[in-house]
Structures are given as structure tokens and as C-alpha cells.
Amino acid sequence: MSDADPSRGSGDSLWSVKPWWCQPWSIVLSGVVVVVLSWLWLGRWWLTAPLGVAVSLWWWLFLVVVPTAYARQSQEIS
């Protein structure tokens, strides 16, 4: 069995079944690094701003929507 096997009974948390590279801290860190590197490398707010919006949407999807849907599904199955 892999460490990400949901049948191992590690609770209703989505994060307990995800690998280290898909944890909230790594998602936030990746987004911050992408935006900062974009600013440092390009130095153009009109390129970095849309990238920041895209990262914000990515965070919203993977840090809010997906965990909420996972929790609802877990409650329905229980």
C-alpha cells in the first residue's frame, strides 16, 4: 500500500491522503515563488498581476473548493 491510500483510516481530511508535494504549504509556497520570480525576472507588473490572479484562482480551487467537496463526499459515504 502507498502512503496516500485513503483506506488506511487516517480521518476525513483530504490532506492526510495527499503526498508532501500536494500539501497546503507546498501549494502556497509554489504560488508565492512563481509570482515573486515572475516579478524579479520580468519586472513588469502587467505580466505579474495576471499571473498573481491565476495563482489566486489555483489556490482557491485546490485549497477551498476541492477540500470542501472531499469533506462533503466523505460525509455522504459515512
Side-chain angles (χ1 to χ4, degrees):
M1 276 190 209
S2 73
D3 289 336
D5 185 2
S7 65
R8 296 183 82 172
S10 43
D12 289 336
S13 172
L14 169 68
W15 309 115
S16 64
V17 297
K18 292 292 183 183
W20 69 268
W21 49 266
C22 195
Q23 295 294 317
W25 66 266
S26 64
I27 294 171
V28 171
L29 182 63
S30 298
V32 168
V33 167
V34 165
V35 172
V36 167
L37 287 179
S38 168
W39 176 252
L40 292 175
W41 184 44
L42 301 171
R44 305 277 187 249
W45 71 267
W46 50 271
L47 292 173
T48 303
L51 189 60
V53 169
V55 166
S56 297
L57 290 172
W58 175 44
W59 285 344
W60 175 74
L61 177 65
F62 287 104
L63 298 175
V64 178
V65 175
V66 171
T68 301
Y70 183 87
R72 284 185 187 151
Q73 183 180 12
S74 294
Q75 288 175 351
E76 289 174 6
I77 292 173
S78 299

